[in-house]
Amino acid sequence: MRIKNILGRIFAVWGAIVFVGTMLLIVIPVGFTYWIPGRKGVEQFRKFGRAWIHSFLFLTGCRIVRRGAENFKKGENYIVIVNHNSLIDIPISTPEIPGPNKTIAKVELSRIPIFGIIYKRGSVLVDRKNAESRRDSYRAMKAVLAEGTHMCIYPEGTRNKTGKPLAPFHDGAFKLSVDTGKHIVPALLFHTKKVLPQHRPFFFWPAKMEMHFLEPVSPEGLDAKALKDKLHEIMEAYYVAHA
């Protein structure tokens, strides 16, 4: 265990160097995508983001396996909900979603120099302590869906620290689905806690991660609470069966 702790910190130093180095290579191309409006701009941004994250994973000895991409039907866009166990979840999940997508994200991280340029380009920002910001972000998510772009949401709100397969879900993603009629694609991440564990500061461990997309779920005939309960049940059962 002591050797693993030492190696984990060495890998963390290397991971930080690779993350920053590869980020600096794409920040200028990402900046140019701000000039491309709407869905096309998001699509170009995601191409750069995917190249960045895949390069980072390769150079740090990690890889991600994607399953269920066929559940995204051509010409359709969805609300994609993802479980959240580790800080690496957001960087790896949005590049794996087939097609242009934005994610709901905390405004605080957008203030980090250089990284904030990339972070803001792929996000709908929200200050969760500000009611007006929450309302604005909800309208922005509707606009994202209206232009044909996927909207990625982490319904647990933050990393799951409950000891259960999934933490309770917040209402936002399900209200958004009912209001817009957009189907929800449930997505499950596996083994991300091996790479960046919650309770080990400055620790990184190379591992294979997986992202599984399940069949879309329609909001038809359901209110937000019933839809939330249904999706929680589906995702929890799948996670338990495959973890």
Short mmCIF file of all heavy atoms in Angstrom, two decimals, residues 111-153:
data_model
loop_
_atom_site.label_atom_id
_atom_site.label_comp_id
_atom_site.label_asym_id
_atom_site.label_seq_id
_atom_site.Cartn_x
_atom_site.Cartn_y
_atom_site.Cartn_z
N ARG A 111 -13.39 30.74 -13.88
CA ARG A 111 -12.50 31.85 -13.54
C ARG A 111 -11.04 31.44 -13.50
O ARG A 111 -10.16 32.28 -13.28
CB ARG A 111 -12.93 32.45 -12.20
CG ARG A 111 -14.38 32.96 -12.22
CD ARG A 111 -14.80 33.56 -10.90
NE ARG A 111 -16.20 33.96 -10.92
CZ ARG A 111 -17.14 33.50 -10.09
NH1 ARG A 111 -16.80 32.66 -9.13
NH2 ARG A 111 -18.38 33.92 -10.18
N ILE A 112 -10.75 30.14 -13.68
CA ILE A 112 -9.36 29.68 -13.68
C ILE A 112 -8.70 30.14 -14.97
O ILE A 112 -9.22 29.91 -16.06
CB ILE A 112 -9.30 28.14 -13.58
CG1 ILE A 112 -9.93 27.67 -12.26
CG2 ILE A 112 -7.85 27.66 -13.68
CD1 ILE A 112 -10.03 26.16 -12.15
N PRO A 113 -7.56 30.82 -14.89
CA PRO A 113 -6.89 31.32 -16.10
C PRO A 113 -6.62 30.20 -17.11
O PRO A 113 -6.25 29.09 -16.74
CB PRO A 113 -5.58 31.91 -15.56
CG PRO A 113 -5.87 32.25 -14.13
CD PRO A 113 -6.84 31.21 -13.66
N ILE A 114 -6.80 30.49 -18.38
CA ILE A 114 -6.58 29.61 -19.53
C ILE A 114 -7.60 28.46 -19.54
O ILE A 114 -8.35 28.29 -20.50
CB ILE A 114 -5.14 29.06 -19.59
CG1 ILE A 114 -4.15 30.24 -19.67
CG2 ILE A 114 -4.96 28.16 -20.82
CD1 ILE A 114 -2.69 29.81 -19.68
N PHE A 115 -7.62 27.66 -18.48
CA PHE A 115 -8.58 26.56 -18.41
C PHE A 115 -10.00 27.08 -18.57
O PHE A 115 -10.85 26.43 -19.19
CB PHE A 115 -8.43 25.82 -17.07
CG PHE A 115 -9.47 24.75 -16.85
CD1 PHE A 115 -9.41 23.54 -17.53
CD2 PHE A 115 -10.53 24.97 -15.98
CE1 PHE A 115 -10.37 22.56 -17.32
CE2 PHE A 115 -11.50 24.00 -15.77
CZ PHE A 115 -11.42 22.79 -16.45
N GLY A 116 -10.28 28.27 -18.01
CA GLY A 116 -11.62 28.85 -18.08
C GLY A 116 -12.09 29.08 -19.50
O GLY A 116 -13.29 29.00 -19.78
N ILE A 117 -11.17 29.36 -20.43
CA ILE A 117 -11.54 29.56 -21.84
C ILE A 117 -12.17 28.29 -22.41
O ILE A 117 -13.19 28.32 -23.10
CB ILE A 117 -10.30 29.97 -22.66
CG1 ILE A 117 -9.77 31.32 -22.17
CG2 ILE A 117 -10.65 30.03 -24.15
CD1 ILE A 117 -8.43 31.70 -22.79
N ILE A 118 -11.54 27.15 -22.10
CA ILE A 118 -12.04 25.86 -22.58
C ILE A 118 -13.32 25.47 -21.85
O ILE A 118 -14.30 25.02 -22.45
CB ILE A 118 -10.95 24.78 -22.40
CG1 ILE A 118 -9.70 25.17 -23.17
CG2 ILE A 118 -11.47 23.42 -22.84
CD1 ILE A 118 -8.49 24.30 -22.86
N TYR A 119 -13.29 25.66 -20.55
CA TYR A 119 -14.41 25.26 -19.69
C TYR A 119 -15.70 25.97 -20.09
O TYR A 119 -16.76 25.34 -20.23
CB TYR A 119 -14.03 25.60 -18.25
CG TYR A 119 -14.99 25.17 -17.18
CD1 TYR A 119 -15.01 23.86 -16.71
CD2 TYR A 119 -15.86 26.08 -16.60
CE1 TYR A 119 -15.86 23.48 -15.69
CE2 TYR A 119 -16.72 25.72 -15.58
CZ TYR A 119 -16.71 24.41 -15.13
OH TYR A 119 -17.57 24.04 -14.12
N LYS A 120 -15.61 27.28 -20.31
CA LYS A 120 -16.81 28.06 -20.66
C LYS A 120 -17.36 27.68 -22.03
O LYS A 120 -18.57 27.70 -22.24
CB LYS A 120 -16.48 29.56 -20.63
CG LYS A 120 -16.35 30.14 -19.24
CD LYS A 120 -16.23 31.65 -19.27
CE LYS A 120 -14.89 32.10 -19.75
NZ LYS A 120 -14.69 33.57 -19.61
N ARG A 121 -16.45 27.31 -22.96
CA ARG A 121 -16.91 27.03 -24.32
C ARG A 121 -17.83 25.83 -24.38
O ARG A 121 -18.74 25.77 -25.21
CB ARG A 121 -15.69 26.80 -25.24
CG ARG A 121 -16.07 26.63 -26.71
CD ARG A 121 -16.69 27.91 -27.23
NE ARG A 121 -17.10 27.85 -28.61
CZ ARG A 121 -18.35 27.62 -29.04
NH1 ARG A 121 -19.32 27.38 -28.14
NH2 ARG A 121 -18.66 27.65 -30.31
N GLY A 122 -17.62 24.87 -23.50
CA GLY A 122 -18.43 23.66 -23.56
C GLY A 122 -19.50 23.57 -22.49
O GLY A 122 -20.05 22.49 -22.27
N SER A 123 -19.81 24.70 -21.85
CA SER A 123 -20.68 24.63 -20.67
C SER A 123 -21.81 25.65 -20.71
O SER A 123 -21.71 26.71 -21.33
CB SER A 123 -19.85 24.88 -19.40
OG SER A 123 -18.77 23.99 -19.29
N VAL A 124 -22.88 25.29 -20.00
CA VAL A 124 -23.86 26.27 -19.54
C VAL A 124 -23.51 26.52 -18.07
O VAL A 124 -23.56 25.60 -17.25
CB VAL A 124 -25.30 25.72 -19.65
CG1 VAL A 124 -26.28 26.66 -18.95
CG2 VAL A 124 -25.68 25.54 -21.11
N LEU A 125 -23.12 27.72 -17.76
CA LEU A 125 -22.62 28.03 -16.43
C LEU A 125 -23.75 28.39 -15.47
O LEU A 125 -24.72 29.03 -15.86
CB LEU A 125 -21.61 29.18 -16.49
CG LEU A 125 -20.36 28.93 -17.34
CD1 LEU A 125 -19.50 30.18 -17.40
CD2 LEU A 125 -19.56 27.76 -16.80
N VAL A 126 -23.58 27.99 -14.21
CA VAL A 126 -24.58 28.30 -13.21
C VAL A 126 -23.90 28.57 -11.87
O VAL A 126 -22.96 27.88 -11.48
CB VAL A 126 -25.61 27.15 -13.06
CG1 VAL A 126 -24.95 25.84 -12.65
CG2 VAL A 126 -26.71 27.53 -12.07
N ASP A 127 -24.38 29.60 -11.20
CA ASP A 127 -24.02 29.86 -9.80
C ASP A 127 -25.17 29.30 -8.97
O ASP A 127 -26.25 29.89 -8.91
CB ASP A 127 -23.86 31.36 -9.56
CG ASP A 127 -23.48 31.69 -8.12
OD1 ASP A 127 -23.51 30.77 -7.27
OD2 ASP A 127 -23.17 32.86 -7.84
N ARG A 128 -24.95 28.16 -8.38
CA ARG A 128 -26.04 27.45 -7.70
C ARG A 128 -26.55 28.18 -6.46
O ARG A 128 -27.62 27.87 -5.95
CB ARG A 128 -25.59 26.03 -7.34
CG ARG A 128 -25.43 25.15 -8.56
CD ARG A 128 -25.05 23.74 -8.20
NE ARG A 128 -23.69 23.64 -7.67
CZ ARG A 128 -23.08 22.49 -7.39
NH1 ARG A 128 -23.70 21.35 -7.58
NH2 ARG A 128 -21.85 22.48 -6.93
N LYS A 129 -25.79 29.18 -6.00
CA LYS A 129 -26.24 29.95 -4.84
C LYS A 129 -27.11 31.14 -5.23
O LYS A 129 -27.66 31.83 -4.37
CB LYS A 129 -25.02 30.45 -4.06
CG LYS A 129 -24.15 29.33 -3.49
CD LYS A 129 -22.93 29.90 -2.79
CE LYS A 129 -22.03 28.78 -2.28
NZ LYS A 129 -20.79 29.31 -1.64
N ASN A 130 -27.24 31.37 -6.54
CA ASN A 130 -27.95 32.54 -7.04
C ASN A 130 -29.19 32.11 -7.81
O ASN A 130 -29.09 31.42 -8.83
CB ASN A 130 -27.00 33.35 -7.94
CG ASN A 130 -27.63 34.65 -8.41
OD1 ASN A 130 -28.60 34.63 -9.16
ND2 ASN A 130 -27.08 35.77 -7.97
N ALA A 131 -30.37 32.51 -7.33
CA ALA A 131 -31.63 32.08 -7.94
C ALA A 131 -31.75 32.57 -9.38
O ALA A 131 -32.23 31.83 -10.26
CB ALA A 131 -32.81 32.56 -7.11
N GLU A 132 -31.34 33.80 -9.64
CA GLU A 132 -31.43 34.34 -10.99
C GLU A 132 -30.51 33.58 -11.95
O GLU A 132 -30.87 33.30 -13.09
CB GLU A 132 -31.07 35.82 -11.00
CG GLU A 132 -31.22 36.50 -12.37
CD GLU A 132 -32.65 36.43 -12.90
OE1 GLU A 132 -33.60 36.42 -12.10
OE2 GLU A 132 -32.79 36.38 -14.14
N SER A 133 -29.32 33.21 -11.47
CA SER A 133 -28.39 32.43 -12.28
C SER A 133 -28.99 31.06 -12.61
O SER A 133 -28.84 30.56 -13.73
CB SER A 133 -27.05 32.26 -11.55
OG SER A 133 -26.18 31.42 -12.29
N ARG A 134 -29.66 30.46 -11.65
CA ARG A 134 -30.28 29.15 -11.90
C ARG A 134 -31.37 29.26 -12.95
O ARG A 134 -31.51 28.40 -13.83
CB ARG A 134 -30.84 28.57 -10.60
CG ARG A 134 -29.78 28.18 -9.58
CD ARG A 134 -30.34 27.27 -8.50
NE ARG A 134 -31.42 27.88 -7.76
CZ ARG A 134 -31.28 28.62 -6.66
NH1 ARG A 134 -30.06 28.84 -6.19
NH2 ARG A 134 -32.34 29.11 -6.04
N ARG A 135 -32.14 30.34 -12.89
CA ARG A 135 -33.20 30.56 -13.90
C ARG A 135 -32.58 30.79 -15.28
O ARG A 135 -33.07 30.26 -16.29
CB ARG A 135 -34.10 31.73 -13.49
CG ARG A 135 -35.03 31.41 -12.33
CD ARG A 135 -36.08 32.50 -12.16
NE ARG A 135 -35.48 33.74 -11.65
CZ ARG A 135 -35.36 34.04 -10.37
NH1 ARG A 135 -35.78 33.18 -9.44
NH2 ARG A 135 -34.82 35.19 -9.99
N ASP A 136 -31.52 31.59 -15.31
CA ASP A 136 -30.85 31.87 -16.59
C ASP A 136 -30.27 30.59 -17.19
O ASP A 136 -30.35 30.37 -18.41
CB ASP A 136 -29.73 32.89 -16.38
CG ASP A 136 -30.26 34.30 -16.14
OD1 ASP A 136 -31.45 34.54 -16.42
OD2 ASP A 136 -29.48 35.15 -15.67
N SER A 137 -29.69 29.76 -16.35
CA SER A 137 -29.09 28.52 -16.85
C SER A 137 -30.16 27.57 -17.38
O SER A 137 -29.92 26.86 -18.37
CB SER A 137 -28.26 27.84 -15.76
OG SER A 137 -29.09 27.35 -14.72
N TYR A 138 -31.32 27.58 -16.77
CA TYR A 138 -32.40 26.72 -17.25
C TYR A 138 -32.86 27.17 -18.64
O TYR A 138 -33.06 26.33 -19.54
CB TYR A 138 -33.57 26.75 -16.27
CG TYR A 138 -34.62 25.70 -16.54
CD1 TYR A 138 -34.40 24.37 -16.17
CD2 TYR A 138 -35.82 26.03 -17.16
CE1 TYR A 138 -35.36 23.40 -16.43
CE2 TYR A 138 -36.78 25.06 -17.42
CZ TYR A 138 -36.55 23.75 -17.04
OH TYR A 138 -37.49 22.79 -17.31
N ARG A 139 -32.99 28.47 -18.82
CA ARG A 139 -33.35 28.99 -20.15
C ARG A 139 -32.26 28.68 -21.17
O ARG A 139 -32.54 28.36 -22.32
CB ARG A 139 -33.59 30.51 -20.06
CG ARG A 139 -34.88 30.89 -19.33
CD ARG A 139 -35.19 32.36 -19.50
NE ARG A 139 -34.29 33.20 -18.72
CZ ARG A 139 -34.54 33.63 -17.49
NH1 ARG A 139 -35.69 33.29 -16.90
NH2 ARG A 139 -33.68 34.40 -16.85
N ALA A 140 -31.00 28.76 -20.73
CA ALA A 140 -29.88 28.46 -21.64
C ALA A 140 -29.88 27.00 -22.05
O ALA A 140 -29.59 26.67 -23.21
CB ALA A 140 -28.56 28.83 -20.97
N MET A 141 -30.21 26.09 -21.13
CA MET A 141 -30.27 24.67 -21.47
C MET A 141 -31.38 24.40 -22.47
O MET A 141 -31.21 23.58 -23.39
CB MET A 141 -30.45 23.83 -20.21
CG MET A 141 -29.21 23.76 -19.34
SD MET A 141 -29.31 22.51 -18.03
CE MET A 141 -30.53 23.24 -16.94
N LYS A 142 -32.50 25.08 -22.34
CA LYS A 142 -33.58 24.95 -23.31
C LYS A 142 -33.10 25.40 -24.70
O LYS A 142 -33.42 24.77 -25.71
CB LYS A 142 -34.79 25.78 -22.88
CG LYS A 142 -35.65 25.14 -21.81
CD LYS A 142 -36.89 25.99 -21.58
CE LYS A 142 -37.89 25.31 -20.68
NZ LYS A 142 -39.11 26.14 -20.48
N ALA A 143 -32.33 26.48 -24.72
CA ALA A 143 -31.83 27.00 -26.00
C ALA A 143 -30.84 26.02 -26.64
O ALA A 143 -30.84 25.84 -27.86
CB ALA A 143 -31.16 28.36 -25.78
N VAL A 144 -30.00 25.40 -25.82
CA VAL A 144 -29.06 24.40 -26.31
C VAL A 144 -29.82 23.25 -26.99
O VAL A 144 -29.49 22.82 -28.10
CB VAL A 144 -28.18 23.86 -25.16
CG1 VAL A 144 -27.43 22.60 -25.59
CG2 VAL A 144 -27.19 24.93 -24.70
N LEU A 145 -30.85 22.76 -26.33
CA LEU A 145 -31.64 21.67 -26.89
C LEU A 145 -32.38 22.10 -28.16
O LEU A 145 -32.49 21.34 -29.12
CB LEU A 145 -32.64 21.16 -25.85
CG LEU A 145 -32.03 20.43 -24.64
CD1 LEU A 145 -33.09 20.22 -23.56
CD2 LEU A 145 -31.42 19.10 -25.06
N ALA A 146 -32.87 23.34 -28.17
CA ALA A 146 -33.62 23.85 -29.32
C ALA A 146 -32.75 23.93 -30.57
O ALA A 146 -33.25 23.80 -31.70
CB ALA A 146 -34.22 25.21 -29.00
N GLU A 147 -31.44 24.14 -30.41
CA GLU A 147 -30.56 24.25 -31.58
C GLU A 147 -30.05 22.88 -32.05
O GLU A 147 -29.26 22.79 -32.99
CB GLU A 147 -29.37 25.17 -31.29
CG GLU A 147 -28.36 24.62 -30.31
CD GLU A 147 -27.22 25.60 -30.02
OE1 GLU A 147 -27.36 26.79 -30.35
OE2 GLU A 147 -26.21 25.14 -29.48
N GLY A 148 -30.50 21.80 -31.37
CA GLY A 148 -30.14 20.46 -31.81
C GLY A 148 -28.92 19.87 -31.15
O GLY A 148 -28.38 18.86 -31.60
N THR A 149 -28.47 20.48 -30.05
CA THR A 149 -27.28 20.03 -29.31
C THR A 149 -27.72 19.23 -28.09
O THR A 149 -28.72 19.54 -27.46
CB THR A 149 -26.44 21.25 -28.88
OG1 THR A 149 -26.05 21.98 -30.05
CG2 THR A 149 -25.19 20.83 -28.12
N HIS A 150 -26.96 18.18 -27.77
CA HIS A 150 -27.24 17.42 -26.55
C HIS A 150 -26.93 18.27 -25.32
O HIS A 150 -26.02 19.11 -25.35
CB HIS A 150 -26.38 16.15 -26.46
CG HIS A 150 -26.49 15.24 -27.63
ND1 HIS A 150 -27.69 14.76 -28.10
CD2 HIS A 150 -25.53 14.68 -28.43
CE1 HIS A 150 -27.47 13.95 -29.13
NE2 HIS A 150 -26.18 13.90 -29.35
N MET A 151 -27.65 18.02 -24.24
CA MET A 151 -27.39 18.68 -22.97
C MET A 151 -27.02 17.62 -21.94
O MET A 151 -27.79 16.71 -21.67
CB MET A 151 -28.63 19.44 -22.51
CG MET A 151 -28.41 20.37 -21.33
SD MET A 151 -27.35 21.77 -21.72
CE MET A 151 -26.23 21.72 -20.31
N CYS A 152 -25.82 17.71 -21.40
CA CYS A 152 -25.31 16.73 -20.43
C CYS A 152 -25.47 17.28 -19.01
O CYS A 152 -25.03 18.40 -18.71
CB CYS A 152 -23.84 16.44 -20.72
SG CYS A 152 -23.09 15.28 -19.57
N ILE A 153 -26.08 16.47 -18.14
CA ILE A 153 -26.37 16.88 -16.77
C ILE A 153 -25.97 15.76 -15.81
O ILE A 153 -26.19 14.58 -16.10
CB ILE A 153 -27.86 17.23 -16.60
CG1 ILE A 153 -28.25 18.37 -17.55
CG2 ILE A 153 -28.20 17.59 -15.17
CD1 ILE A 153 -29.74 18.69 -17.57
#
